[in-house]
Amino acid sequence: MICYKCGQDAGWNDKCPVCGADLSLFKRAIRISNSYYNDGLQKAQVRNLSGAIISLRQSLKFYKYNIQARNLLGLIYYEMGEMVDALSEWVISANYQPDDNLAKKYIDQIHNNRNQLETINQTIKKYNQALTYCKQDSKDLAVIQLRKVLSLNPKLVKGHQLLALLYLEEGHLDKAKKALRDAGKIDTDNTTTLRYLKEVNRRLKEKGTERKKKNDDLISYQSGNETIIMPKRFRESSMWANILYIIIGLVVGVAVTCFLVVPGIKSQAKTDAKKQLLSANDTISTNGQTISGLNDQIDKLKKELEDEKKKNDGVSDQISTYEALLNAYVYYTTNDVIKAGEALENINTSYLSDSAKQTYDTLNGSIADSYKEALYSQAYSSYSSGDYQSAIPTFQKLVGMDEAYRDGSAAYYLAQSFRKSGDLASAKPYYQYVVDNYAGTEKARTSKNYLAQEQQ
């Protein structure tokens, strides 16, 4: 234990042997901090992440130098998609204990992955944009942004919660419930998630009650173990109805009598028929066993054939993946960045070995910027020549990779291409994006004018 006064190692004594400071209360604070840390660790192990955060914050409140508690708090933030909060805790931890600290390893892993840093940056921007759309009552645009956010960061709990709230507001109860279940898989006992889920279930129950049709012309009552359903306006049967019921009963009685007598007369014929039927059944049973054995062999051979086909398909996919990686490298060496980028997009990294994945990451990092620039040049060339149908898919691919490319120029020219091809409705979201993110520019003023025309 380090003395809080002189900074020297004081062991676990009640008084510091160096400066003589009273350490009894300090020791108690450390024990309480460790107790809260253990509680937070137990909650994190059962994915009660929000509860774990509360316990770990209490632990740090009693002893801010509890490095294990601070590192675990950062990991929980990271698991919930709160990258900025996680980095903040790890940076503080690394400053308190520079040596032998896992926080430095976590920080280095994030800093060395430029793609992850870019993803974090895009996630923050898009989530804040979604909040802005919510404040502007543009719920459709907010939903679009949140879907993009969750595609980049599927573990962002508050993103799932906000998406569920928007679905709840629009009356899409099933979608809201699915979003809340996705949030619950990440943090099982999150109070906000449970409160929203309770409201969704209440509305679903009310909706089910409204759909249930009640027939006011019927009443029911219990008679022993049977439920009797009858019309409310029940009238006693008339005399003619009773006579009819008697006649029907007589007819039924005669029919039953006939069916009981006839089998006795024909019993001998049935006995002979049964003997023949038993003999035929024995023959069928023997043949059925033979057929069953053959069917089992056929099923076994079919299963073996399907297993071999799956293996061959897996090998074929793996070969195609390595061929795509090789083609991407060849295109890269010949400075054909567009074909190289397209080849990399078709690669399924799950089929790559560790060394091949390193090659893929290196190659992807080398051509990412050049690929975007080449796509932009190709799309802008088509746009300038009036070939908007060719420009649209290329601009869409570029915007899907980086919506803010060239300060929103890609999104702006995509909107222009849609508008000039007669599809102003598809251009609207991209005009709106330019207006919201690049106010004061010529692109924003032009976009605003087209949006006003569309509303008129």
Side-chain angles (χ1 to χ4, degrees):
M1 180 178 63
I2 304 300
C3 177
Y4 68 89
K5 188 173 182 180
C6 63
Q8 300 298 320
D9 187 3
W12 200 247
N13 302 311
D14 289 336
K15 287 188 178 182
C16 178
V18 179
C19 65
D22 186 4
L23 302 178
S24 58
L25 293 177
F26 187 57
K27 287 169 57 180
R28 184 180 178 187
I30 293 177
R31 283 196 295 268
I32 295 174
S33 175
N34 290 335
S35 176
Y36 276 116
Y37 164 72
N38 291 331
D39 182 63
L41 180 61
Q42 291 177 356
K43 290 178 179 178
Q45 288 173 344
V46 296
R47 298 203 69 84
N48 181 7
L49 303 185
S50 55
I53 289 175
I54 295 174
S55 297
L56 293 173
R57 283 178 176 172
Q58 284 294 108
S59 175
L60 296 175
K61 183 178 180 181
F62 279 94
Y63 184 50
K64 66 179 181 180
Y65 295 104
N66 193 334
I67 301 302
Q68 288 181 324
R70 197 173 293 277
N71 289 347
L72 179 58
L73 181 59
L75 286 173
I76 292 174
Y77 280 136
Y78 184 85
E79 181 65 16
M80 294 178 68
E82 304 287 351
M83 306 294 187
V84 176
D85 292 337
L87 284 173
S88 300
E89 296 297 335
W90 290 336
V91 169
I92 295 172
S93 175
N95 287 330
Y96 284 157
Q97 182 179 315
D99 299 327
D100 192 21
N101 192 341
L102 287 174
K104 297 187 70 176
K105 177 183 176 181
Y106 301 150
I107 296 171
D108 292 339
Q109 287 178 349
I110 293 178
H111 283 175
N112 293 335
N113 191 338
R114 296 185 60 185
N115 291 333
Q116 187 174 11
L117 286 174
E118 180 64 22
T119 299
I120 293 172
N121 187 35
Q122 290 295 326
T123 300
I124 295 171
K125 287 183 178 179
K126 292 180 183 298
Y127 182 78
N128 291 335
Q129 185 61 52
L131 290 176
T132 302
Y133 286 146
C134 290
K135 294 176 182 178
Q136 296 173 352
D137 201 26
S138 299
K139 297 184 180 65
D140 293 340
L141 295 176
V143 169
I144 292 173
Q145 286 291 5
L146 285 173
R147 285 177 178 171
K148 292 181 180 179
V149 168
L150 295 176
S151 67
L152 295 172
N153 188 359
K155 294 184 177 181
L156 187 61
V157 174
K158 63 183 182 182
H160 289 290
Q161 291 172 344
L162 182 56
L163 182 60
L165 193 61
L166 290 171
Y167 282 143
L168 184 62
E169 181 71 16
E170 294 297 321
H172 303 307
L173 300 181
D174 292 333
K175 292 182 179 180
K177 192 169 186 176
K178 182 181 181 302
L180 292 173
R181 284 179 175 173
D182 292 338
K185 292 177 183 178
I186 303 168
D187 184 6
T188 57
D189 291 332
N190 188 286
T191 305
T192 302
T193 301
L194 295 176
R195 188 171 69 249
Y196 289 172
L197 188 58
K198 181 179 180 181
E199 177 63 19
V200 171
N201 289 331
R202 184 186 67 81
R203 294 194 183 184
L204 284 172
K205 186 176 181 181
E206 290 179 355
K207 190 175 181 180
T209 304
E210 291 175 359
R211 288 180 178 177
K212 188 177 181 181
K213 297 181 179 180
K214 296 182 179 179
N215 192 341
D216 294 334
D217 294 332
L218 298 177
I219 60 173
S220 63
Y221 63 91
Q222 197 75 18
S223 176
N225 293 327
E226 297 181 352
T227 300
I228 307 300
I229 301 176
M230 60 181 292
K232 285 184 177 180
R233 299 178 180 86
F234 180 75
R235 296 180 180 178
E236 294 291 337
S237 300
S238 65
M239 180 183 67
W240 292 107
N242 291 332
I243 295 173
L244 179 62
Y245 293 152
I246 292 172
I247 294 173
I248 293 174
L250 291 174
V251 172
V252 172
V254 171
V256 171
T257 302
C258 291
F259 281 113
L260 290 175
V261 173
V262 171
I265 297 174
K266 298 181 179 179
S267 60
Q268 186 61 40
K270 287 187 176 181
T271 301
D272 295 338
K274 284 182 179 179
K275 290 180 180 179
Q276 296 177 2
L277 181 62
L278 288 174
S279 177
N281 284 339
D282 291 338
T283 304
I284 292 172
S285 178
T286 302
N287 293 334
Q289 291 178 358
T290 304
I291 293 172
S292 177
L294 293 174
N295 286 334
D296 292 339
Q297 293 181 10
I298 292 172
D299 292 339
K300 183 178 179 181
L301 291 174
K302 283 183 177 179
K303 186 176 183 304
E304 292 178 356
L305 182 61
E306 290 176 357
D307 292 341
E308 289 298 325
K309 185 178 179 181
K310 289 180 180 178
K311 291 180 181 179
N312 292 334
D313 290 342
V315 172
S316 177
D317 292 340
Q318 190 172 13
I319 292 173
S320 299
T321 299
Y322 277 94
E323 287 179 351
L325 181 60
L326 181 60
N327 290 334
Y329 180 77
V330 171
Y331 289 136
Y332 172 72
T333 57
T334 58
N335 295 324
D336 192 346
V337 293
I338 291 182
K339 289 186 177 180
E342 291 174 347
L344 288 177
E345 289 178 351
N346 295 326
I347 291 177
N348 186 348
T349 56
S350 62
Y351 290 116
L352 297 177
S353 63
D354 292 339
S355 59
K357 285 181 180 178
Q358 292 179 359
T359 303
Y360 169 81
D361 292 337
T362 302
L363 190 60
N364 191 35
S366 299
I367 71 170
D369 294 336
S370 301
Y371 182 41
K372 293 178 184 178
E373 181 61 29
L375 286 176
Y376 182 82
S377 299
Q378 180 181 349
Y380 186 76
S381 177
S382 299
Y383 171 81
S384 300
S385 62
D387 187 3
Y388 306 118
Q389 297 301 325
S390 299
I392 287 172
T394 309
F395 274 130
Q396 283 180 318
K397 181 185 291 187
L398 179 57
V399 170
M401 295 169 59
D402 186 359
E403 194 172 24
Y405 189 71
R406 283 206 175 186
D407 295 330
S409 293
Y412 173 75
Y413 285 116
L414 175 57
Q416 288 285 82
S417 300
F418 273 126
R419 182 184 63 80
K420 291 185 177 182
S421 62
D423 190 0
L424 187 56
S426 298
K428 180 182 176 181
Y430 301 102
Y431 279 137
Q432 187 66 51
Y433 170 78
V434 173
V435 172
D436 293 336
N437 292 274
Y438 302 98
T441 63
E442 182 63 28
K443 294 192 293 286
R445 287 191 293 271
T446 304
S447 299
K448 191 172 183 181
N449 290 335
Y450 290 132
L451 286 174
Q453 292 178 11
E454 194 273 341
Q455 290 177 355
Q456 292 175 0

